[in-house]
Amino acid sequence: MRRSLQLMALSAALLIIASCSNGSTEAERMTEPAGNKTFMVKGTSDLQKIAQLTGKDSLNRTDEFAVHGTDLGSMFTVDEKTYFVFGDTFGERPEGMTGGGGSFWRSNVMAYSSDRDPSDGITFDGMIADEIGFAKELLPSRKIDHDEMTIIPTHGLSANGALYLYFMSVNHWGDPGKWDANYAGVAKSTDEGQSWSVVDGLQWPGDSGFIQVSPFTVGDGDEATIYFWSIPSGRFGGVQLMRVQEKHLEELNQYEYFAGADSQGEPVWSPDMSKAETVVDDSVGELSVIWNPGLKRWLMTYLREGQGVVLREGLSPWGPWSDPVDLVPASDYPGLYAPFMNDRFLSEDGKTLYFALSLWDPYNVFWFRATLETLEDAD
C-alpha cells in the first residue's frame, strides 16, 4: 500500500511538472527569436460575411440600446466573457445614411458576450448600459473640433484583476485615413466595465508611434508580460512594439520599447521610446495581433488603405513578419476597416479565422470568417 501511494504521489508530481513545463514552453515559444522557423501561411480563401453584429438589422438588435450605428469592435476575453469595444456611436439615424452621424452621440460603448460558437455570428448577452437601459458612454469626451473631438478606445485587456482600455484622444478628423491625436491614454475599471477612471500619468504623446495598440499577454502570474503592437494616429504609419510586465502596467517608466535585435537575433529593449524601431513598415490602420496556438505563429491583420484588409504572419513578436496576403479586398467590400481578431475565435487547429469588420455603409460592425491556406495543405 505504501509503495502504491508513493508511486501515485510521484506520478502526480510528474504531471504537475509536465504541465508547468508545457505552459512555460508555450510562453517561450511565443517570444523566442525566429531562428530557423519558416512562414506557413501562403494565402486565404473561403471568405464569408456571416452576420451583422450591431444596428437595428443585426442579430443583436442593438437599436434597443440606442445603438443604431457604431464601428470598431475590438475584443478581449475575461474568463467566459468577451467584451466588444466600439467607437463613435449614434442613436436613430436617417434611413440610408452612410458613415458616422445621427442622434445621441457617444464616443464609445461596450457589449459583452458568453457566446463561444463563432460559426453563426456572436450573440451579445447585453451592453454596458445607463439607468434607462441605453448603452452608455464609458469615457466622456469634450466633442469640440480641434480640441478634443472624441475619445476612441483602440483596444482593451484584463490585467491585475481589473479591465483596462487603451484609448486615443482625437483632436481633429482630417482627410480620409488621417487624423490628429492629442495623446494616447489608459482607463481602468474594477466593476466589470460599469465605471471607468483614467490612469494618471499613463500617456503617450499624440505625435508618437504608440497611439493605437493591439495587446497580447504572454505567460501568467509574476512572469506575465504584455506586448503591444502600436501605430501612430491615422492609417499611414508602420508598426512598433512595446512591452510591460503585467504587474507594472500602470507605471509608464516600466514600459520598454523594441529597439532592434542583436547579432544573435535576440531583441534589444530600451526604456527610451525614441529608440523604438519599426517591425512592420507599411500603411497600417486599425491593427489586430493574436497568437495562433494551432499554427504556433503570430497573426496580424490591418487595413491597408485603398487595398483592403491584409494579414501577416510573425515568427516572433518583433518579426520577421511575412509579406501581406489579401484577407478582404476593398473592391468586394467598399468602406471596410477595423479588422479585429480574438484568439478565442479560432477553429480547425487555427486554420479558420473569425473576425469583426466595420463597413462605412451602413456604419456598423459585421462578423466574417476566412480559411488560412498553409504550406502543410500542399503536402
Side-chain angles (χ1 to χ4, degrees):
M1 176 64 74
R2 180 178 299 175
R3 176 70 172 170
S4 297
L5 290 173
Q6 289 174 336
L7 289 173
M8 291 173 62
L10 178 60
S11 298
L14 290 173
L15 284 172
I16 291 172
I17 292 171
S19 175
C20 293
S21 175
N22 289 338
S24 175
T25 300
E26 180 73 358
E28 291 172 357
R29 185 181 294 117
M30 294 166 72
T31 56
E32 66 187 2
N36 295 322
K37 290 188 290 188
T38 58
F39 295 119
M40 295 180 60
V41 178
K42 62 180 183 178
T44 67
S45 63
D46 193 26
L47 177 69
Q48 298 177 30
K49 182 171 72 173
I50 296 174
Q52 182 172 336
L53 297 186
T54 63
K56 67 181 180 64
D57 297 322
S58 72
L59 60 86
N60 292 303
R61 287 300 307 269
T62 61
D63 56 309
E64 297 176 359
F65 294 91
V67 177
H68 285 249
T70 191
D71 68 349
L72 304 183
S74 61
M75 295 165 272
F76 65 102
T77 298
V78 185
D79 298 325
E80 295 302 310
K81 185 182 294 185
T82 299
Y83 292 91
F84 287 73
V85 188
F86 303 103
D88 286 321
T89 299
F90 302 91
E92 292 189 18
R93 293 157 48 85
E95 194 68 31
M97 183 177 186
T98 297
S103 65
F104 193 20
W105 173 20
R106 288 139 291 166
S107 287
N108 40 76
V109 299
M110 177 183 282
Y112 51 90
S113 174
S114 57
D115 191 349
R116 296 186 62 90
D117 179 8
S119 64
D120 57 354
I122 298 296
T123 301
F124 297 157
D125 298 342
M127 302 193 75
I128 303 299
D130 60 20
E131 62 276 2
I132 60 175
F134 292 159
K136 68 179 179 181
E137 187 175 63
L138 310 175
L139 306 174
S141 64
R142 291 194 286 273
K143 299 180 176 61
I144 301 173
D145 198 11
H146 295 287
D147 178 2
E148 184 178 71
M149 189 64 177
T150 190
I151 284 182
I152 303 297
T154 61
H155 220 106
L157 58 86
S158 170
N160 305 313
L163 308 184
Y164 292 88
L165 287 179
Y166 285 69
F167 66 85
M168 59 179 171
S169 169
V170 176
N171 178 280
H172 171 70
W173 296 116
D175 295 332
K178 297 182 179 180
W179 58 85
D180 300 322
N182 297 309
Y183 63 90
V186 183
K188 176 182 182 179
S189 173
T190 57
D191 56 6
E192 298 185 317
Q194 296 298 320
S195 61
W196 295 83
S197 59
V198 174
V199 179
D200 291 337
L202 193 52
Q203 290 188 357
W204 290 263
D207 60 355
S208 74
F210 298 90
I211 300 302
Q212 304 171 78
V213 304
S214 180
F216 200 94
T217 303
V218 175
D220 50 29
D222 287 341
E223 301 302 316
T225 299
I226 306 171
Y227 289 79
F228 299 82
W229 292 263
S230 310
I231 58 176
S233 61
R235 295 174 177 158
F236 296 98
V239 182
Q240 296 183 324
L241 180 66
M242 64 181 176
R243 71 176 186 179
V244 69
Q245 287 185 295
E246 179 179 324
K247 60 188 175 184
H248 295 306
L249 180 149
E250 297 187 21
E251 304 167 53
L252 183 61
N253 63 3
Q254 293 295 314
Y255 284 72
E256 297 179 314
Y257 304 86
F258 174 72
D262 63 19
S263 60
Q264 304 301 314
E266 294 287 345
V268 176
W269 299 96
S270 172
D272 185 352
M273 181 175 62
S274 68
K275 302 293 186 183
E277 291 200 0
T278 297
V279 298
V280 172
D281 186 10
D282 202 355
S283 298
V284 179
E286 296 97 42
L287 83 165
S288 179
V289 181
I290 63 171
W291 170 255
N292 186 318
L295 301 183
K296 296 180 174 55
R297 294 291 188 274
W298 293 97
L299 297 181
M300 175 188 294
T301 54
Y302 58 89
L303 174 67
R304 205 181 205 189
E305 190 80 7
Q307 177 178 336
V309 171
V310 297
L311 178 142
R312 289 182 187 252
E313 174 190 352
L315 302 184
S316 74
W318 50 91
W321 289 87
S322 69
D323 291 335
V325 298
D326 289 331
L327 184 59
V328 189
S331 57
D332 292 346
Y333 293 94
L336 80 177
Y337 61 107
F340 290 117
M341 304 177 288
N342 184 293
D343 60 325
R344 184 179 197 177
F345 302 123
L346 295 166
S347 63
E348 306 297 329
D349 290 327
K351 293 183 180 180
T352 299
L353 174 68
Y354 294 88
F355 57 98
L357 185 67
S358 295
L359 298 178
W360 191 242
D361 181 9
Y363 193 70
N364 270 300
V365 180
F366 293 77
W367 194 244
F368 280 73
R369 61 153 284 172
T371 298
L372 304 181
E373 303 290 345
T374 70
L375 294 177
E376 293 178 345
D377 299 328
D379 293 339

